[in-house]
Amino acid sequence: MGHKSDWPANPAIYQVYPRSFLDTTGTGEGDLRGVIEKMGYIAELGVDALWLSPFFVSPMVDGGYDVADHSAVDPRFGTMDDFEELVAAAHDAGLKVLIDQVLNHTSDQHPLFLAAVEGDESAAECYLWQDPKEDGSLPNNWLSQFGPPAWTWNHKRRQYYFHQFLAAQPSLNLRNERVQEMHHQEIRFWRDKGVDGFRFDAVTSYLFDESLKDNPPSSPEVHEKMVTFRFVPYSYQDHVYDMLPGDGAAYAENLRKWAGEDAWLLGESTSGNNSLKLVKDFTEEGRLDAMYTVDMPEEGADPEMLGRLFDEVSDLSRYGKWMSSHDQPRHISVRGDGSDRDARFFSMMMAVLPGPWMIYQGEELGLPQPRLSREESVDPVDLIFWPDGPGRDGARVPVPWGEGPAFGFSEGSPWLPMRWESDRAVSAQTEESTLGFYRRALAARKEHGWPEGTVTGHKTKGEVMTIDLDVDGRAWRAVFNYGTDTVSPGLGAPFMASQHCVGDMLGRTAAIWKL
Ligand code: GLC
């Protein structure tokens, strides 16, 4: 969209999960002042923007995605003054600020939900309440995305309420005018604080069909290929009634209207099926700038997935690329052996592919996925499926900055155990280590305009994928060797590679050539 003159068309965005970034108060949990303190570090990486996961008032049942006041800073993270200082510091460092907006649901401790429980009918209409069936059972077959039924009984109202995620996150009825006005005000509130864009949590879940009909079954192939979703029966259903009924994507026009033309808007698709098709729908003119889907991390950005992406999403500036987040286990362990080699392989791949790129805090250090014991775990989703769960806690183990028992993250006891190898800490990284490589990859990406490129062809042979790119009239060729055998692309020495390469490519190397 041409009107966003001061946002790069395809930003590189650094995701900060504040609770695990840097603790300046000794509580064992990170805070906003920690982000301010490390603004220079973030800017030096060479990213364009910072995405801040929720720091709003929350009982923290779902790590802050259960919001009890959407327009206030939770005291555990600091104050509104801290937030304002953070925005100013980011802008001074040349970074845009993107914050999460969790509009799909509230916490069950939100005053609106508490009022609904106490019998305030106008508040109740902001959610979805249903009487039980005659035999007391659930109103329909809808499931929550975390596995259990999407309905929880409330004894005061003697009714069930609907929640697409945890029972502690009652889903809002986004067609309700009072809810829309509340969201409009929240978005304006943060724009007035200087926020440049938003990441809309679970944007594909916003609308449900008021008929409340049972979802039909999905085809077996859909759930067979899921990684995180394979734990849950959610992918056994075709979600035709509980999400996106009619043109659910058109709802994004409200988000655009409320946020303004100049805001950069990113949507999270949690749907699993048909997700790539949704990218196009949600990013039509007047809607969001980009969407990201679970396909890339769930399928390890393998040749089949990338091929599908290139075939189905014609404009890659609409697709946010990523491999790790606070929701997914760290990719170099799930899709590799946890080595620096694999961290470089994926970062090179993300740097050369067109479109926005989201980097999750710590991946630039080559952090692997730690294993936590049941006693150490706090995430309700990990705990439901223990010990096989998705590993969201592992992905949230705090960032190692330096030495000592808490690696300079905190002077207290970290809220999740930190057992990193000492060479992963920021202080131990060098120009030659993973961090140095991320900085070079980000710099090269910007300098050569790779994010603005278009894919002109791709082919896969065995475990090697070759992608032809056109960047402003210049031809480039990227080759990704996913396997462990050495291959010879026959192109001579590459322009840039994830590991030393003179012509032959070692296993697990990504490289790019100027043709
Ligand atoms: C999004 C968030 C995730 C959260 C869920 C419900 O997927 O990224 O952390 O649990 O929404 O809010």
Side-chain angles (χ1 to χ4, degrees), residues 398-416:
V399 172
W401 295 99
E403 292 167 6
F407 295 85
F409 161 71
S410 170
E411 292 190 348
S413 170
W415 70 284
L416 291 172

Side-chain angles (χ1 to χ4, degrees), residues 15 17 51 53-54 62-66 100 102 104-105 145-146 164-166 169 199-203 268-270 292 294 325-327 379 381 392 396:
Q15 183 193 354
Y17 189 73
W51 150 25
S53 276
D62 188 26
Y65 285 88
D66 48 319
D100 245 289
V102 190
N104 180 67
H105 43 263
Q145 296 195 27
F146 294 148
Q164 282 123 320
F165 297 92
L166 298 173
Q169 295 164 298
R199 177 256 188 198
F200 291 105
D201 186 69
V203 72
E268 180 209 26
S269 162
T270 56
Y292 71 95
V294 293
S325 77
H326 65 295
D327 288 332
D379 177 40
V381 184
R392 304 203 311 174
R396 297 171 188 183

